[in-house]
Amino acid sequence: MMMQLTFYKYQGTGNDFIMVDNRLDSFPKENTQLIEQLCDRRFGIGADGLILLENHSTYDFKMVYFNSDGNESSMCGNGGRCLVAFAKQLGIIQATAEFEAVDGYHYAEISADELVSLQMKDVDNIKVYENYSFLNTGSPHHVQIVSDLKKMDVKSEGSKIRYSELYGADGSNVNFVHQIDSKTFSVRTYERGVEDETLSCGTGATAVAVAMHHVGKAEGNQLEIHVEGGKLKVQFEVNDGNYSRVFLIGPATFVFEGTIDL
């Protein structure tokens, strides 16, 4: 039997998502092929991922996130920010939100000018190697400074690292970084699950900010991260190498609403 799905499209600095209100638990989320098709930019709606907003017994809602390959994935920072904006559009929240994602509890705020500040998980385990750092900000991230970010073949070079012996079967997201000054960095990110460069990655921007501060290249507790799709801010508190009250801040924009036959 054909089912008609109402969906909403959001983007956060170019990282785009299909949003579905699944509070009635009607979406066939075990159908990996369907999710992949919906995210396909030629044969579907087109998106970096699909996000279900579901009921939660304690918090305002639950976030269930799928990469564009159809598989449920680790935390997505821009997706979380967009979901908060979506929850506001649905009338579930007003200026603040509490929700559960795959990596646990999150708190978020929406400012008067519609910027969404999402609290990310605390980070206390940053591995620093000669040419790169590795940390988990809700998703695993390889962070590496490069000499010519603009000319990087991010898909090719990112794929090599993602599938290398460094990260085994699970792989890692890969961030290539250029330092602009002590408070500003540019980043281009290869995302696993999308298996390509995306215009923005929220957990990646967070990882870059924390890693650059940790290795002594950044000053202060609020950094600006330039992604291909715009600008994000990351603020945090740090104590003995432990990063807490980590917030990812940026726009979350409603693009359009539609229906599609499943």
Side-chain angles (χ1 to χ4, degrees):
M1 191 175 81
M2 190 170 283
M3 165 187 165
Q4 195 169 67
L5 174 72
T6 298
F7 67 89
Y8 303 76
K9 187 77 182 287
Y10 274 79
Q11 61 89 8
T13 54
N15 209 185
D16 61 337
F17 308 96
I18 299 164
M19 299 288 180
V20 178
D21 179 357
N22 197 39
R23 286 177 290 174
L24 297 179
D25 202 25
S26 58
F27 185 85
K29 53 190 174 186
E30 72 292 335
N31 191 337
T32 306
Q33 190 175 359
L34 170 65
I35 296 167
E36 184 176 14
Q37 184 184 341
L38 290 172
C39 290
D40 191 291
R41 297 192 183 278
R42 293 175 178 84
F43 298 102
I45 300 163
D48 290 327
L50 182 145
I51 304 177
L52 303 178
L53 184 148
E54 297 188 343
N55 288 315
H56 194 281
S57 57
T58 309
Y59 305 132
D60 296 311
F61 54 88
K62 180 182 178 183
M63 171 183 179
V64 183
Y65 174 67
F66 300 87
N67 273 326
S68 60
D69 64 1
N71 293 305
E72 194 169 346
S73 182
S74 49
M75 181 57 185
C76 175
N78 285 325
R81 293 190 312 95
C82 286
L83 190 64
V84 170
F86 179 44
K88 184 178 181 181
Q89 182 180 347
L90 293 176
I92 297 170
I93 61 158
Q94 293 302 316
T96 63
E98 293 182 291
F99 67 94
E100 183 181 12
V102 67
D103 63 340
Y105 168 83
H106 287 271
Y107 170 77
E109 298 175 350
I110 304 179
S111 68
D113 55 357
E114 299 299 308
L115 288 178
V116 179
S117 301
L118 173 65
Q119 186 168 6
M120 307 295 282
K121 64 174 284 187
D122 292 354
V123 182
D124 59 4
N125 184 13
I126 306 161
K127 295 175 181 173
V128 179
Y129 301 93
E130 186 179 355
N131 297 317
Y132 66 94
S133 300
F134 177 79
L135 62 163
N136 193 309
T137 51
S139 290
H141 282 278
H142 173 108
V143 177
Q144 180 174 325
I145 291 177
V146 294
S147 56
D148 195 343
L149 184 62
K150 286 181 181 175
K151 290 184 178 176
M152 281 286 298
D153 183 342
V154 171
K155 183 174 183 178
S156 173
E157 296 305 313
S159 178
K160 287 177 192 172
I161 296 169
R162 181 255 197 266
Y163 286 105
S164 71
E165 292 178 359
L166 276 178
Y167 300 117
D170 290 339
S172 175
N173 301 285
V174 182
N175 304 273
F176 299 109
V177 184
H178 166 70
Q179 181 168 7
I180 298 170
D181 58 39
S182 64
K183 294 182 182 293
T184 318
F185 296 83
S186 293
V187 59
R188 294 175 65 188
T189 301
Y190 176 95
E191 281 199 55
R192 65 173 189 170
V194 179
E195 305 310 335
D196 203 346
E197 180 178 7
T198 54
L199 291 177
S200 177
C201 175
T203 54
T206 306
V208 168
V210 170
M212 291 300 101
H213 186 275
H214 188 71
V215 299
K217 290 190 176 295
E219 295 176 0
N221 65 347
Q222 180 167 288
L223 304 180
E224 187 170 276
I225 307 297
H226 295 187
V227 296
E228 292 293 285
K231 296 177 183 177
L232 293 163
K233 288 185 179 176
V234 179
Q235 67 181 36
F236 46 78
E237 294 176 5
V238 59
N239 185 10
D240 265 352
N242 296 327
Y243 290 78
S244 61
R245 290 192 56 77
V246 181
F247 278 88
L248 175 67
I249 305 161
T253 307
F254 171 65
V255 185
F256 63 89
E257 174 185 350
T259 56
I260 190 168
D261 293 331
L262 303 184

